[in-house]
Structures are given as C-alpha cells and as structure tokens.
Amino acid sequence: MAGLELHGVRKAFKGVQVLDGVDLTVAPREFIAFLGPSGSGKSTLLRIIAGLETADDGEVILEGRRIDTLPPGDRGVAMVFQHYALYPHMSVRENMAFGLKNARVPKPEIDGLIEDAARVLEINELLDRKPGQLSGGQRQRVAIGRAIVKKPKLFLLDEPLSNLDAALRLRTRVELAQLRQRVDAGVIMVTHDQAEAMTLADRIVVFNDRRIQQVAPPMEIYSRPANTFVARFVGSPAMTIIPGKLQNGSGHAAVRLGDGALIETAISRDGLPPGERIEIGLRPESVRVTRDGDVATTTAKVVLVERLGERSLVYAQLKDGTEITAEDSGLSTARSGDEIGLKIDGAAAHLFGADGTGYHRQDA
Amino acid sequence: MAASIQRGRLPWWGWIGLVVGAAIMAAPLVWTLLLSLKNNAELVGNSGAALSGPYTLENYVAILGNDRTLRWLLNSVIVSLGTTVGVLVLCSLAGYGFARLDFPFRRTLFTLVLLGLAIPSQAVILPQHQLFATLGLHNSYPGLILPGLITSFGVFFMTTYMRAIPKELDEAAMLDGASRFTIFWKVILPLTVPAQSTLAVFTFLGSWNDYWWPLISATRSDMYTLTVGLASSQMNYAQTSGLGFLMAQAVFASIPIFVVYVIFQKQIVRAMAGTAVR
Ligand SMILES: Nc1ncnc2c1ncn2[C@@H]1O[C@H](COP(=O)(O)OP(=O)(O)OP(=O)(O)O)[C@@H](O)[C@H]1O
Ligand SMILES: [Mg+2]
C-alpha cells in the first residue's frame, strides 16, 4: 500500500493558479524533498496535505484513507514549521504534550512519550524551559520533538533548517538523517537547498510553474533531468544549455554548435524528435579548459573566473557569443579576456527537444 | 538632548530635575494626606495648621463609621469590577473575531469600531439616558455597568494585539488537534495577558473615576458610586468646617486605585514597553 497519494490536486489563490493537477505517490517511510523556486507552490501543497489549506480539486489519501476531508488534527500528520511555531507561554514539556492532551492520551503515557522523544533529541535538560529561553537549534529540536511524540504516519517539514546558521544546519541535517531511521513514518521536506535535498531524500520532487517537473532519486535528477527547467535548476553552477544542429547519421547523435564545433554525444539517435533543431546541455565538469597537449573541441573568451579553491569555474563566451561555463583546476591561470581552448566531453552531454524534454544516454 | 539620552549615570542636574519633578507631583498628595490627618476644627480659618501636629485618625474613623460611605465603596467596587470583567470578555472575543475569523462585513464592522473611537461618550449621553430610563435600568448595577462595556478602544486594542500573534501558532494548534475554542482559550488568550492587564487597569481606573454617568444614572443615594457620593457630601456647606474629613474621603477613595497600581505595576510597565510574542 502506498503511503501518501495525491490525485489531481489543484489550487488557485484569488484566481491565480498555484497548483495545477498534481499527482504524486509516496511509498511508506519514504523521505521526499520538495524542491523548486520561490512561489512554485511547495508550501501550498504541504499545507494542503496538512489540512491548513483546502484544495480546489483533487484527493489526498494517506495509507488508503482519504484525508482531505478531515480536520488537520485527525489526519495522522505532524508538521514542523519554518519558524517552529512553539507555543511561547508553554514549557517545552507542555508544548510536546499539547497535541497528546487534545487527543486524550492518558497522562502516564504522555510522560513516557515525552521522555522517549527528549532522550532521542537530547533535550531532557530543557523540558521545563520556555521556548524564549532556548537557542535556535534547541527550538528546532523541540519543534521536531513535538511532531515525534504524536507518532504520525507522515512528517511534514517546511524548510526546517532555513533558520539555522551554516554550521548548525549541517549538523542538524545529519541528525535529521539519523532520526529518520528511528521513526516509522514518511517524511516530506520542503527545501530551497539542493544539497539538503540530495543528501536526505530518497526521491526529490521538483516543482515549477504550477506543476511537478520531475520525481526521481537525487542522482537521477542530476544525471537525467526530465527537462531544461530541472537541468538548469539542479546543480550548481547551472548546466549550460546551448542551441545546436543535429547532424544526419545513425547511431549516436552528433550536434554542431553555433560556432561550428562538433560534439559527439553518447545518446542514441533513435529516440530523438524529428528535425535538426536541438539544445545541448553541458555540466561545467564536462567542459574542461585545455592544457598543453589536449585537443580542444572549440575555443572561447574568458569573461570571469571564479576560484573555489580546489577547482575554478570559468565563465566564457564561444565565438558566436554563446555563454558557456567550464571547469579548470584550482591553479587555473585563465584571466578574463584570455582566449582559451575548451575540451567538451560529448559522452556526458544531454539533449533537449524543442518542448524542453530531456534525452540522455541509456546507461547514465 | 544627546547627553540626557546617554546610558549610565545621570548628571547632577538630571538628579535635581527629577527631584523637583517628583516633589511637584507629590506635594498635593502629601498635602491631602496631612489635611486628612487633622482635626476638622483646627483647620477652620487656617489650613496651614496641617503642617504640624497633633495628627489624628478620627476622620478615617468617621468614614468607616458611616455606612453610606461603605455602601458607595461597595457600589464602586461592583461597578468597576463588573465593567472590567465585562470589557475583558467582550474585547477578547471581539478581538479574536476580527483578528482570526472571516465573516461577512468584517472590514465594514471594524471600520465602524474605529469610527467609534472618534465619538465622545458625552455626545450620546442624552439618548443613552432616555434608553436606560425606558428600560428602567437607572439606579441599578446593570444601568451603571452596561455603558462602560462599550469601548471602541478596547476592541481595537485587542484586535491589533491578536493580529500580531503569528498565525503559525493557530496552525500548529490545529495540527495538534485543538478545537477552535481550545486554540482561543489555551493558545491565544494566554498570550494576550499583557494586553489584558493593560486594558484591565485602564478600564478599572476609568470606571472607578467615572463621575458623569453615575451622576446621571444613580439618583438614589444608595446607588451612588464613591465619586458621586463624595461629591454629594461636598455640597453640604461643610467644606470650611469639614476640610479634614473631605480629604480623608479623597485618600480613602484612592486607596483601591493605589492597590491596583501596585499589583499590576509589572504588567503595566511591560505592556507599555511593548512585548514581543515569540
Ligand atoms: N494565502 C495565500 N493567499 C494568496 N496567495 C497565496 C497564499 N499562499 C500562497 N500564495 C501564493 O501562492 C504561490 C505559491 O506559494 P507557496 O508559499 O506555496 O510557494 P513556495 O514554493 O513555498 O515558495 P517559497 O520557496 O518562497 O516558500 C505564491 O505565488 C504565493 O504568493
Ligand atoms: Mg514556502
């Protein structure tokens, strides 16, 4: 049985469509990350699942039971809010007990659940403090604790780490990963942070333009982006996507760029759309600045060099003006204005049809 | 200006300013207190006698011995407490409604409430008097309390305060399975305690010190509040001879207010300084 199922979920705010026919099936105990640009409806969908927002259309089903008709408290989901939303006037213990009391769980049982959660989250010492007396990281734990004690079937986390500083965020990310082994429930986490999504999630759901663009495991999102949006959105710096002409022939597709360079891809010619207009996608790591002895695929003029320590990113322009991002070693000698040679690894290239659909090598 | 804003120790002239200010504020109170402690006869013709002894508590004994004063005190307590409790209940409910519920004509209604801020109570006193006369409510506690429950300021105050409470708290409580009433009672209301105490203090003081409406509504002396009662005893041509007694009454009347201030001092200061809800 599936954990969570969404069927044809639609939502408009004051006539503006925010979600348009969202379908998604999540396995029980699966960790899902919602990734997408600001305003793409991630929080809205999360809130529809939680019952804080009503969908205009569609169904939400959790473990076989339709829940979109139930009030939030009866859905078997728990949510961790971006700003934690701890009750300021209640102690940590009371915060965690509130939901259980409303569910009329007997007092001894409540105490037991809180003790357990507090031990796991290492917040035993804090149980009698008020939220105002806690640090950001501690509040975060309490917010998670408040969700855990309810033993929900599904955790909903809306950018849970975005309020923490970089170091704490990394630590909490690790802890979330460990925690997730302990709880017997699915998790849906909204995030802006690709790295967070990549490390934590079993599958990533990429949102844009009112729709789900792709649902896939992290590496697949990266290596087989469904369309140009996902290709550009995931990966930093973004994939370069440049127009080219598909060459006649059979076997693997070959593409000629605007500046005349020919790139032999490892993508089968067969599945590609008809016509010669196509776009080619190149990640920076498959475009290398040539060194002595390398054979250059093409040449370009350096616009900007970004030195990241162990490697450098070279933003350059091909002869026909097309912008391309290349990678070089950390000791790169390239400077803006330089003419450089680029060696393009065609086998790592992606192709995109006129409608944006992505085509990839079979084994990638 | 810049110097006086500096943190740390006050300069010497700052201290002097404060002392002078405090003395000016305290002088009439001390004077009242001293007069109240004097024998009435001694004050006739020369109120300066209050500056030296002998002092006596006989005026206070006289007040406590007068059951009409005690009755007025009781009336004032009932009316002020009744008004305060009523205002808190009504303004909390109205504030929650305006801040959190979506109902038809909410904005229009709220605008009317705001307009109410601009209408002085004096402007409606005649129709109000007639209304209460028709309803037969004069010379009764409801008659004295009901007009005090109408407060645009209170509704406005509670609405703004509740609006400032993050909605995420309501949502967290909804996910915690709380009913709307539980959310109001256990989450929102406790967070408005600073606002409640401010409103309570202002309402209590306003009601305690109110003179005009009880003067109009309470025509029987057993329904007088303390303000009206004390004023009525000034009309007895005894002002020259009863100065000490009069002052004792004034001191007596302000004791409850003093008590309220002492009890709620912390909340008043905190509410004035503005409390962040988080
Ligand atoms: N209550 C609301 N009333 C009107 N419009 C809303 C409401 N909530 C969200 N929207 C709109 O719906 C769209 C999607 O919002 P949503 O909060 O779901 O985006 P998001 O993907 O979570 O963005 P972010 O990453 O910035 O949090 C936005 O354009 C937003 O302005
Ligand atoms: Mg959001």
Side-chain angles (χ1 to χ4, degrees):
Chain A
M1 184 169 54
L4 177 77
E5 293 168 69
L6 302 175
H7 297 301
V9 173
R10 300 157 59 85
K11 176 76 185 173
F13 286 111
K14 302 187 185 86
V16 180
Q17 203 70 32
V18 175
L19 294 170
D20 201 354
V22 170
D23 296 297
L24 180 67
T25 303
V26 176
R29 305 210 59 218
E30 195 175 18
F31 197 125
I32 293 284
F34 283 2
L35 191 63
S38 203
S40 56
K42 307 179 295 288
S43 299
T44 305
L45 186 56
L46 204 69
R47 292 165 57 81
I48 288 174
I49 299 169
L52 299 174
E53 213 80 72
T54 330
D56 300 335
D57 202 0
E59 290 182 7
V60 183
I61 296 166
L62 184 60
E63 296 191 352
R65 191 169 63 130
R66 184 154 177 196
I67 60 167
D68 54 290
T69 47
L70 302 176
D74 297 345
R75 295 186 172 202
V77 303
M79 187 154 169
V80 175
F81 291 82
Q82 186 171 3
H83 302 283
Y84 315 135
L86 299 175
Y87 313 118
H89 57 297
M90 297 185 196
S91 68
V92 168
R93 187 189 300 278
E94 288 163 341
N95 261 283
M96 291 166 77
F98 188 65
L100 300 171
K101 279 189 198 151
N102 290 329
R104 309 214 181 283
V105 177
K107 179 96 174 56
E109 205 175 314
I110 294 182
D111 291 342
L113 286 167
I114 292 179
E115 291 305 322
D116 289 348
R119 195 162 350 96
V120 172
L121 293 163
E122 296 170 26
I123 50 173
N124 315 52
E125 323 279 271
L126 311 176
L127 283 179
D128 294 314
R129 291 211 209 155
K130 295 269 172 71
Q133 300 164 308
L134 303 176
S135 72
Q138 291 170 331
R139 279 180 216 181
Q140 166 73 39
R141 286 153 181 275
V142 174
I144 292 174
R146 186 171 67 177
I148 285 181
V149 291
K150 288 192 283 186
K151 298 220 177 293
K153 296 175 190 137
L154 183 65
F155 286 94
L156 304 172
L157 317 178
D158 196 348
E159 308 197 24
L161 308 184
S162 64
N163 271 338
L164 304 177
D165 65 44
L168 197 54
R169 191 188 292 203
L170 273 183
R171 217 183 74 200
T172 316
R173 194 197 284 175
V174 175
E175 285 171 356
L176 264 185
Q178 294 170 341
L179 188 70
R180 148 334 121 104
Q181 312 297 330
R182 295 217 185 98
V183 297
D184 182 29
V187 180
I188 297 181
M189 178 176 79
V190 172
T191 176
H192 266 120
D193 186 333
Q194 297 179 20
E196 213 167 280
M198 291 275 193
T199 18
L200 287 173
D202 297 322
R203 286 193 298 161
I204 296 178
V205 180
V206 182
F207 284 81
N208 189 44
D209 193 22
R210 315 192 297 277
R211 289 204 172 79
I212 290 180
Q213 302 292 324
Q214 188 170 7
V215 184
M219 274 331 284
E220 190 178 326
I221 293 268
Y222 188 78
S223 57
R224 304 179 65 83
N227 53 40
T228 45
F229 174 78
V230 179
R232 284 205 184 89
F233 190 73
V234 177
S236 169
M239 181 189 286
T240 306
I241 297 181
I242 34 187
K245 282 191 180 142
L246 195 56
Q247 302 299 296
N248 286 327
S250 57
H252 289 162
V255 177
R256 194 170 292 282
L257 302 186
D259 69 347
L262 185 70
I263 298 171
E264 303 268 0
T265 70
I267 301 163
S268 163
R269 183 82 229 232
D270 298 345
L272 295 179
E276 60 166 23
R277 285 189 40 202
I278 198 128
E279 285 186 301
I280 184 162
L282 299 164
R283 296 233 180 250
E285 61 263 29
S286 51
V287 182
R288 312 265 333 170
V289 176
T290 50
R291 315 249 197 97
D292 303 340
D294 283 351
V295 181
T297 317
T298 185
T299 57
K301 196 169 165 188
V302 177
V303 176
L304 179 78
V305 181
E306 193 179 349
R307 298 182 192 283
L308 299 175
E310 82 286 3
R311 60 182 182 142
S312 306
L313 292 169
V314 179
Y315 299 91
Q317 263 183 352
L318 298 180
K319 276 197 290 283
D320 62 339
T322 318
E323 299 190 347
I324 190 165
T325 310
E327 208 179 270
D328 198 2
S329 72
L331 306 165
S332 174
T333 52
R335 300 226 222 129
S336 55
D338 286 0
E339 263 317 296
I340 50 166
L342 295 178
K343 181 168 158 42
I344 296 175
D345 176 11
H350 308 264
L351 291 179
F352 299 94
D355 61 351
T357 312
Y359 301 89
H360 314 282
R361 51 188 287 184
Q362 223 62 139
D363 51 350
Chain B
M1 195 62 196
S4 63
I5 290 173
Q6 270 177 12
R7 311 216 304 144
R9 281 173 191 281
L10 220 53
W12 60 269
W13 46 266
W15 282 109
I16 292 183
L18 280 184
V19 168
V20 170
I24 292 174
M25 300 298 279
L29 300 180
V30 173
W31 186 236
T32 308
L33 192 64
L34 290 178
L35 285 171
S36 76
L37 292 170
K38 289 296 284 187
N39 175 285
N40 286 305
E42 270 191 76
L43 294 173
V44 177
N46 175 24
S47 54
L51 289 173
S52 58
Y55 294 113
T56 161
L57 285 174
E58 64 185 34
N59 292 322
Y60 291 95
V61 174
I63 290 174
L64 295 174
N66 178 348
D67 43 339
R68 282 217 306 179
T69 316
L70 291 180
R71 170 78 202 207
W72 297 336
L73 178 71
L74 179 71
N75 288 348
S76 272
V77 169
I78 291 175
V79 170
S80 300
L81 278 184
T83 308
T84 307
V85 171
V87 162
L88 289 189
V89 170
L90 290 177
C91 292
S92 303
L93 289 171
Y96 181 82
F98 281 123
R100 289 295 200 263
L101 304 184
D102 205 9
F103 53 91
F105 306 114
R106 182 179 60 167
R107 284 164 157 266
T108 322
L109 270 177
F110 195 65
T111 312
L112 284 178
V113 169
L114 291 185
L115 284 178
L117 283 173
I119 300 176
S121 62
Q122 288 85 344
V124 296
I125 205 106
L126 276 181
Q128 188 174 308
H129 167 69
Q130 280 186 335
L131 177 68
F132 278 67
T134 314
L135 296 175
L137 283 175
H138 284 314
N139 286 311
S140 73
Y141 289 124
L144 290 170
I145 291 173
L146 284 174
L149 301 186
I150 305 162
T151 157
S152 283
F153 171 75
V155 173
F156 170 72
F157 185 60
M158 291 312 294
T159 304
T160 16
Y161 200 88
M162 288 189 183
R163 272 192 190 148
I165 297 174
K167 263 214 166 111
E168 276 194 348
L169 289 182
D170 302 54
E171 296 178 344
M174 278 164 80
L175 277 157
D176 270 343
S179 64
R180 189 175 278 290
F181 180 75
T182 309
I183 295 176
F184 172 70
W185 190 249
K186 294 250 181 79
V187 178
I188 302 296
L189 217 49
L191 291 175
T192 62
V193 167
Q196 304 270 1
S197 20
T198 312
L199 187 59
V201 170
F202 286 149
T203 308
F204 187 88
L205 297 185
S207 178
W208 187 271
N209 290 329
D210 188 22
Y211 177 64
W212 210 27
W213 178 247
L215 180 67
I216 292 168
S217 184
T219 48
R220 278 199 337 253
S221 73
D222 65 320
M223 283 310 291
Y224 285 176
T225 57
L226 206 51
T227 43
V228 178
L230 292 183
S232 76
S233 49
Q234 278 180 48
M235 306 297 176
N236 63 6
Y237 303 117
Q239 286 173 66
T240 40
S241 59
L243 192 56
F245 182 66
L246 189 68
M247 290 304 150
Q249 282 183 320
V251 172
F252 182 70
S254 52
I255 288 173
I257 292 186
F258 184 69
V259 171
V260 166
Y261 261 123
V262 170
I263 294 176
F264 286 98
Q265 205 173 27
K266 226 161 75 185
Q267 283 91 332
I268 295 173
V269 172
R270 203 171 50 183
M272 289 304 180
T275 323
V277 187
R278 260 279 185 112

